[in-house]
Coordinates of all heavy atoms in Angstrom, one line a residue:
M1 N -3.7 10.1 -6.2 CA -2.5 10.2 -5.5 C -1.4 9.7 -6.5 O -1.6 8.6 -7.1 CB -2.5 9.3 -4.2 CG -1.3 9.0 -3.7 SD -1.4 7.9 -2.2 CE -3.0 7.9 -1.6
R2 N -0.3 10.3 -6.6 CA 0.8 9.9 -7.5 C 1.5 8.7 -6.9 O 1.4 8.5 -5.7 CB 1.8 11.0 -7.6 CG 1.2 12.2 -8.4 CD 2.3 13.3 -8.5 NE 1.9 14.2 -9.5 CZ 2.6 14.3 -10.6 NH1 3.7 13.7 -10.8 NH2 2.2 15.1 -11.6
H3 N 2.1 8.0 -7.7 CA 2.8 6.7 -7.4 C 3.9 7.1 -6.3 O 4.2 6.4 -5.3 CB 3.5 6.0 -8.5 CG 2.4 5.1 -9.2 ND1 2.2 3.8 -8.9 CD2 1.6 5.5 -10.2 CE1 1.3 3.4 -9.7 NE2 0.8 4.4 -10.4
T4 N 4.6 8.2 -6.5 CA 5.7 8.6 -5.6 C 5.1 9.0 -4.2 O 5.7 8.6 -3.2 CB 6.5 9.9 -6.1 OG1 5.6 10.9 -6.5 CG2 7.3 9.5 -7.4
A5 N 4.0 9.7 -4.2 CA 3.3 10.0 -2.9 C 2.9 8.7 -2.2 O 3.0 8.6 -1.0 CB 2.1 10.9 -3.1
F6 N 2.3 7.8 -3.0 CA 1.9 6.5 -2.5 C 3.1 5.7 -1.8 O 3.0 5.3 -0.7 CB 1.2 5.6 -3.5 CG 1.0 4.2 -3.1 CD1 0.0 3.9 -2.2 CD2 1.9 3.2 -3.4 CE1 -0.3 2.7 -1.9 CE2 1.7 1.9 -3.1 CZ 0.7 1.6 -2.2
R7 N 4.2 5.6 -2.6 CA 5.4 5.0 -2.0 C 5.9 5.6 -0.7 O 6.4 5.0 0.2 CB 6.5 4.9 -3.1 CG 6.1 4.0 -4.3 CD 6.0 2.6 -4.0 NE 5.7 1.8 -5.2 CZ 5.5 0.4 -5.1 NH1 5.6 -0.2 -4.1 NH2 5.1 0.0 -6.2
Q8 N 5.8 7.0 -0.7 CA 6.3 7.7 0.5 C 5.3 7.4 1.6 O 5.8 7.1 2.8 CB 6.3 9.2 0.3 CG 7.0 10.0 1.3 CD 8.4 9.5 1.7 OE1 9.2 9.5 0.7 NE2 8.7 9.3 2.8
R9 N 4.1 7.3 1.4 CA 3.2 7.0 2.5 C 3.6 5.6 3.1 O 3.4 5.4 4.3 CB 1.7 7.0 2.1 CG 1.1 8.4 2.0 CD -0.3 8.3 1.7 NE -0.9 9.6 1.6 CZ -2.1 10.0 1.5 NH1 -3.1 9.0 1.6 NH2 -2.5 11.2 1.4
M10 N 3.8 4.6 2.1 CA 4.1 3.3 2.6 C 5.3 3.3 3.5 O 5.4 2.7 4.5 CB 4.3 2.4 1.3 CG 3.1 2.1 0.5 SD 2.0 0.8 1.3 CE 3.0 -0.6 1.1
A11 N 6.4 4.0 3.0 CA 7.6 4.1 3.7 C 7.5 4.8 5.0 O 8.0 4.4 6.1 CB 8.6 4.9 2.9
D12 N 6.6 5.8 5.1 CA 6.3 6.6 6.3 C 5.6 5.6 7.4 O 6.0 5.7 8.5 CB 5.5 7.8 6.1 CG 6.3 8.9 5.4 OD1 7.5 8.8 5.3 OD2 5.6 9.8 4.9
E13 N 4.8 4.9 6.9 CA 3.9 4.0 7.8 C 4.7 2.8 8.2 O 4.7 2.3 9.4 CB 2.7 3.6 7.1 CG 1.7 2.9 7.9 CD 1.2 3.6 9.1 OE1 1.0 4.8 9.0 OE2 1.0 3.1 10.2
F14 N 5.4 2.1 7.3 CA 6.0 0.8 7.6 C 7.5 0.8 7.6 O 8.2 -0.2 8.0 CB 5.6 -0.2 6.6 CG 4.1 -0.4 6.5 CD1 3.4 0.2 5.5 CD2 3.4 -1.0 7.5 CE1 2.0 0.1 5.5 CE2 2.0 -1.1 7.5 CZ 1.3 -0.6 6.4
G15 N 8.2 1.8 7.2 CA 9.6 1.9 7.0 C 9.9 1.5 5.6 O 9.2 0.8 5.0
R16 N 11.0 2.0 5.1 CA 11.3 1.8 3.7 C 11.4 0.4 3.3 O 10.8 -0.2 2.3 CB 12.6 2.6 3.2 CG 12.7 2.5 1.7 CD 13.4 3.7 1.1 NE 13.0 5.0 1.5 CZ 12.0 5.7 1.0 NH1 11.2 5.2 0.1 NH2 11.7 6.9 1.4
V17 N 12.2 -0.4 4.0 CA 12.6 -1.8 3.7 C 11.3 -2.7 3.8 O 10.9 -3.4 2.9 CB 13.7 -2.4 4.5 CG1 13.8 -3.9 4.4 CG2 14.9 -1.7 4.3
R18 N 10.5 -2.5 5.0 CA 9.3 -3.3 5.2 C 8.3 -2.9 4.1 O 7.5 -3.8 3.6 CB 8.8 -3.1 6.6 CG 7.5 -4.0 6.8 CD 7.1 -4.0 8.2 NE 6.0 -4.9 8.5 CZ 4.9 -4.6 9.1 NH1 4.9 -3.5 9.7 NH2 3.9 -5.4 9.3
A19 N 8.1 -1.7 3.8 CA 7.2 -1.3 2.7 C 7.4 -1.9 1.4 O 6.5 -2.3 0.7 CB 7.1 0.3 2.6
E20 N 8.7 -2.0 1.0 CA 9.1 -2.6 -0.2 C 8.8 -4.0 -0.2 O 8.2 -4.7 -1.2 CB 10.6 -2.3 -0.5 CG 10.9 -0.9 -0.9 CD 12.4 -0.6 -1.1 OE1 13.1 -1.6 -1.2 OE2 12.8 0.5 -1.1
M21 N 9.1 -4.8 0.9 CA 8.8 -6.1 1.1 C 7.3 -6.4 1.0 O 6.8 -7.3 0.3 CB 9.4 -6.7 2.3 CG 10.9 -6.8 2.3 SD 11.8 -7.2 3.8 CE 10.8 -8.7 4.4
L22 N 6.5 -5.5 1.7 CA 5.1 -5.8 1.8 C 4.5 -5.5 0.4 O 3.6 -6.4 -0.1 CB 4.5 -4.7 2.7 CG 3.1 -4.8 3.1 CD1 2.9 -4.3 4.5 CD2 2.3 -3.9 2.2
A23 N 5.0 -4.5 -0.4 CA 4.5 -4.3 -1.8 C 4.8 -5.5 -2.6 O 3.9 -5.8 -3.6 CB 5.1 -3.1 -2.3
Q24 N 5.8 -6.2 -2.5 CA 6.2 -7.2 -3.4 C 5.6 -8.6 -2.9 O 5.3 -9.4 -3.8 CB 7.8 -7.4 -3.4 CG 8.5 -6.3 -4.0 CD 10.0 -6.4 -3.8 OE1 10.5 -7.4 -3.4 NE2 10.8 -5.4 -4.1
D25 N 5.4 -8.8 -1.7 CA 5.2 -10.3 -1.2 C 3.8 -10.4 -0.5 O 3.3 -11.5 -0.5 CB 6.2 -10.6 -0.1 CG 7.6 -10.6 -0.7 OD1 7.8 -10.9 -1.8 OD2 8.6 -10.4 0.0
H26 N 3.2 -9.4 0.1 CA 1.9 -9.6 0.8 C 0.8 -9.6 -0.2 O 0.5 -8.6 -0.9 CB 1.7 -8.5 1.9 CG 0.5 -8.8 2.7 ND1 0.7 -9.5 3.9 CD2 -0.8 -8.4 2.6 CE1 -0.5 -9.6 4.5 NE2 -1.4 -8.9 3.7
V27 N 0.0 -10.6 -0.2 CA -1.1 -10.8 -1.1 C -2.4 -10.3 -0.3 O -2.8 -10.7 0.7 CB -1.4 -12.2 -1.5 CG1 -2.6 -12.4 -2.3 CG2 -0.1 -12.7 -2.3
F28 N -3.2 -9.4 -1.1 CA -4.3 -8.8 -0.3 C -5.6 -9.4 -1.0 O -5.7 -9.2 -2.4 CB -4.3 -7.3 -0.5 CG -3.3 -6.6 0.2 CD1 -2.0 -6.5 -0.3 CD2 -3.6 -6.1 1.4 CE1 -1.0 -5.8 0.4 CE2 -2.6 -5.4 2.2 CZ -1.3 -5.2 1.6
S29 N -6.5 -10.1 -0.4 CA -7.7 -10.5 -0.9 C -8.6 -9.4 -1.5 O -9.2 -9.6 -2.5 CB -8.5 -11.3 0.1 OG -8.9 -10.6 1.2
S30 N -8.5 -8.2 -0.9 CA -9.3 -7.0 -1.3 C -8.7 -6.5 -2.6 O -9.4 -5.6 -3.2 CB -9.4 -6.0 -0.2 OG -8.0 -5.6 0.1
L31 N -7.6 -6.9 -3.0 CA -7.0 -6.5 -4.4 C -7.1 -7.6 -5.3 O -6.2 -7.7 -6.2 CB -5.6 -6.0 -4.1 CG -5.4 -4.8 -3.2 CD1 -3.9 -4.4 -3.1 CD2 -6.1 -3.6 -4.0
G32 N -8.0 -8.5 -5.1 CA -8.1 -9.6 -6.0 C -7.0 -10.7 -5.9 O -6.8 -11.3 -6.9
G33 N -6.5 -10.8 -4.8 CA -5.5 -11.9 -4.6 C -4.1 -11.4 -5.2 O -3.3 -12.2 -5.6
R34 N -3.9 -10.1 -5.2 CA -2.7 -9.5 -5.7 C -1.9 -8.9 -4.7 O -2.4 -8.5 -3.7 CB -3.1 -8.6 -6.9 CG -3.7 -9.2 -8.1 CD -4.0 -8.2 -9.1 NE -5.2 -7.5 -8.8 CZ -6.1 -7.0 -9.7 NH1 -5.8 -7.0 -10.9 NH2 -7.1 -6.4 -9.2
T35 N -0.6 -8.7 -4.9 CA 0.3 -7.8 -4.1 C 0.0 -6.4 -4.6 O -0.6 -6.1 -5.5 CB 1.7 -8.2 -4.3 OG1 2.1 -7.8 -5.6 CG2 2.1 -9.7 -4.1
V36 N 0.5 -5.5 -3.8 CA 0.5 -4.1 -4.1 C 1.0 -3.8 -5.5 O 0.4 -3.1 -6.3 CB 1.3 -3.2 -3.0 CG1 1.5 -1.8 -3.5 CG2 0.5 -3.2 -1.7
D37 N 2.3 -4.3 -5.8 CA 2.9 -4.2 -7.1 C 2.1 -4.7 -8.2 O 1.9 -4.0 -9.2 CB 4.2 -4.7 -7.0 CG 5.2 -3.9 -6.2 OD1 5.0 -2.8 -5.8 OD2 6.4 -4.5 -5.8
Q38 N 1.5 -5.8 -8.0 CA 0.7 -6.5 -9.1 C -0.5 -5.7 -9.3 O -1.0 -5.5 -10.4 CB 0.4 -7.9 -8.6 CG 1.5 -8.9 -8.7 CD 1.2 -10.2 -8.0 OE1 0.3 -10.3 -7.2 NE2 1.9 -11.2 -8.4
A39 N -1.2 -5.2 -8.2 CA -2.4 -4.4 -8.3 C -2.1 -3.1 -9.1 O -2.9 -2.7 -10.0 CB -3.1 -4.0 -7.0
L40 N -1.1 -2.5 -8.8 CA -0.7 -1.2 -9.5 C -0.4 -1.4 -10.9 O -0.8 -0.7 -11.8 CB 0.5 -0.5 -8.7 CG 0.2 0.0 -7.3 CD1 1.4 0.5 -6.7 CD2 -0.8 1.2 -7.4
E41 N 0.3 -2.5 -11.2 CA 0.6 -2.9 -12.5 C -0.7 -3.2 -13.4 O -0.7 -2.9 -14.6 CB 1.6 -4.1 -12.6 CG 3.1 -3.7 -12.3 CD 3.9 -4.8 -12.2 OE1 3.6 -5.9 -12.9 OE2 4.9 -4.8 -11.5
A42 N -1.7 -3.7 -12.6 CA -2.9 -4.0 -13.3 C -3.9 -2.9 -13.5 O -5.0 -3.0 -14.1 CB -3.6 -5.1 -12.5
G43 N -3.4 -1.8 -12.9 CA -4.3 -0.5 -13.2 C -5.2 -0.1 -12.1 O -5.9 0.8 -12.1
V44 N -5.0 -0.8 -10.9 CA -5.8 -0.4 -9.7 C -5.2 1.0 -9.3 O -3.9 1.2 -9.2 CB -5.7 -1.5 -8.6 CG1 -6.5 -1.0 -7.3 CG2 -6.2 -2.8 -9.1
T45 N -6.0 1.9 -8.8 CA -5.6 3.2 -8.5 C -4.7 3.2 -7.2 O -5.0 2.3 -6.3 CB -6.7 4.2 -8.3 OG1 -7.5 3.9 -7.2 CG2 -7.5 4.3 -9.5
T46 N -3.9 4.0 -7.0 CA -3.1 4.1 -5.7 C -4.0 4.4 -4.5 O -3.7 3.9 -3.4 CB -2.0 5.2 -5.8 OG1 -2.7 6.4 -6.2 CG2 -0.9 4.9 -6.8
K47 N -5.1 5.1 -4.8 CA -6.1 5.4 -3.7 C -6.7 4.1 -3.2 O -6.7 3.8 -2.0 CB -7.0 6.4 -4.1 CG -8.1 6.7 -3.1 CD -9.0 7.7 -3.5 CE -10.0 8.1 -2.5 NZ -11.0 9.1 -2.9
E48 N -7.1 3.2 -4.1 CA -7.6 2.0 -3.8 C -6.7 1.0 -3.2 O -7.0 0.3 -2.1 CB -8.2 1.3 -5.1 CG -9.4 1.9 -5.7 CD -9.8 1.2 -6.9 OE1 -9.1 1.5 -8.0 OE2 -10.8 0.6 -7.0
V49 N -5.4 1.0 -3.6 CA -4.4 0.2 -3.1 C -4.1 0.7 -1.6 O -4.0 -0.2 -0.7 CB -3.2 0.2 -3.9 CG1 -2.0 -0.5 -3.2 CG2 -3.5 -0.4 -5.3
W50 N -4.0 1.9 -1.4 CA -3.7 2.5 -0.1 C -4.8 2.1 0.9 O -4.5 1.8 2.0 CB -3.5 4.0 -0.2 CG -3.1 4.6 1.2 CD1 -3.9 5.5 1.8 CD2 -2.1 4.3 2.1 NE1 -3.4 5.9 3.0 CE2 -2.2 5.2 3.2 CE3 -1.0 3.5 1.9 CZ2 -1.3 5.1 4.2 CZ3 -0.1 3.5 3.0 CH2 -0.3 4.3 4.1
Q51 N -6.1 2.2 0.4 CA -7.2 1.9 1.3 C -7.1 0.4 1.7 O -7.4 0.0 2.8 CB -8.5 2.2 0.6 CG -8.8 3.7 0.5 CD -10.0 4.0 -0.4 OE1 -10.6 3.1 -1.1 NE2 -10.5 5.2 -0.3
A52 N -6.7 -0.5 0.7 CA -6.6 -1.9 1.1 C -5.5 -2.1 2.1 O -5.7 -2.9 3.0 CB -6.3 -2.7 -0.3
V53 N -4.4 -1.6 1.9 CA -3.3 -1.5 2.8 C -3.7 -1.1 4.3 O -3.4 -1.8 5.2 CB -2.1 -0.8 2.4 CG1 -0.9 -0.8 3.5 CG2 -1.5 -1.4 1.1
C54 N -4.4 0.0 4.3 CA -4.8 0.6 5.6 C -5.8 -0.3 6.3 O -5.7 -0.5 7.5 CB -5.4 2.0 5.4 SG -4.2 3.3 4.9
E55 N -6.7 -0.9 5.6 CA -7.7 -1.8 6.1 C -7.0 -3.1 6.6 O -7.2 -3.5 7.7 CB -8.7 -2.3 5.0 CG -9.7 -1.2 4.7 CD -10.8 -1.3 5.7 OE1 -11.3 -2.4 6.2 OE2 -11.3 -0.2 6.1
A56 N -6.1 -3.6 5.9 CA -5.4 -4.9 6.3 C -4.5 -4.7 7.5 O -4.4 -5.6 8.3 CB -4.6 -5.4 5.1
F57 N -3.9 -3.6 7.6 CA -2.9 -3.4 8.7 C -3.4 -2.4 9.7 O -2.6 -1.9 10.6 CB -1.6 -2.9 8.1 CG -0.9 -4.0 7.4 CD1 -1.0 -4.2 6.0 CD2 -0.1 -4.9 8.0 CE1 -0.4 -5.2 5.3 CE2 0.5 -6.0 7.4 CZ 0.4 -6.0 6.0
E58 N -4.7 -2.1 9.7 CA -5.4 -1.3 10.7 C -4.5 0.1 11.0 O -4.4 0.4 12.1 CB -5.6 -2.0 12.0 CG -6.5 -3.3 11.8 CD -6.6 -4.1 13.0 OE1 -5.9 -3.9 14.1 OE2 -7.5 -5.0 13.0
V59 N -4.3 0.8 9.9 CA -3.7 2.1 9.9 C -4.7 3.0 10.5 O -5.9 3.0 10.0 CB -3.2 2.5 8.5 CG1 -2.6 3.9 8.6 CG2 -2.1 1.5 8.1
P60 N -4.4 3.8 11.5 CA -5.3 4.7 12.1 C -5.8 5.7 11.1 O -5.1 6.1 10.2 CB -4.5 5.5 13.2 CG -3.3 4.4 13.6 CD -3.0 3.8 12.2
A61 N -7.0 6.2 11.3 CA -7.7 7.0 10.4 C -6.9 8.3 10.1 O -6.9 8.8 8.9 CB -9.1 7.4 10.9
E62 N -6.3 8.9 11.1 CA -5.6 10.1 10.9 C -4.4 10.0 9.9 O -3.8 10.9 9.4 CB -5.1 10.8 12.2 CG -4.1 10.0 13.1 CD -4.8 8.9 13.9 OE1 -6.1 8.7 14.0 OE2 -4.1 8.4 14.7
R63 N -4.0 8.8 9.7 CA -2.8 8.6 8.8 C -3.3 7.9 7.4 O -2.4 7.6 6.6 CB -1.8 7.7 9.4 CG -1.2 8.4 10.7 CD 0.2 7.7 11.1 NE 0.1 6.3 11.2 CZ 0.0 5.7 12.5 NH1 -0.1 6.4 13.5 NH2 0.0 4.4 12.6
R64 N -4.6 7.8 7.2 CA -5.0 7.2 5.9 C -5.1 8.1 4.9 O -5.3 9.3 5.0 CB -6.4 6.6 6.2 CG -6.3 5.4 7.0 CD -7.6 4.7 7.1 NE -7.5 3.5 7.9 CZ -8.2 2.5 7.9 NH1 -9.2 2.4 7.1 NH2 -8.0 1.4 8.7

């Protein structure tokens, strides 16, 4: 998944402002204690990051 598609999914699920805040501030243990932005910068794939977000926030399967 491209970064633009990932960011759009985040915005669709959480709203643009909350998605940006979540990406910057929320630390995910499943991403090695990193935020979304840190994980992406470290080379974690958008697919892996999206899965971590979905798990943490219990996003329904049909929107994953």
Side-chain angles (χ1 to χ4, degrees):
M1 160 183 351
R2 294 175 160 251
H3 282 266
T4 53
F6 170 78
R7 294 293 181 180
Q8 187 59 53
R9 281 189 184 190
M10 290 282 291
D12 290 346
E13 187 62 37
F14 302 105
R16 188 153 311 277
V17 173
R18 183 169 181 226
E20 289 175 15
M21 289 173 48
L22 189 145
Q24 293 172 12
D25 299 331
H26 189 87
V27 175
F28 294 84
S29 59
S30 60
L31 295 175
R34 294 179 281 207
T35 66
V36 165
D37 289 343
Q38 291 168 335
L40 292 172
E41 287 176 23
V44 179
T45 68
T46 54
K47 183 177 179 179
E48 290 174 286
V49 173
W50 179 243
Q51 289 173 345
V53 170
C54 290
E55 284 278 321
F57 289 93
E58 299 178 351
V59 174
E62 63 271 7
R63 294 198 307 261
R64 290 185 180 204

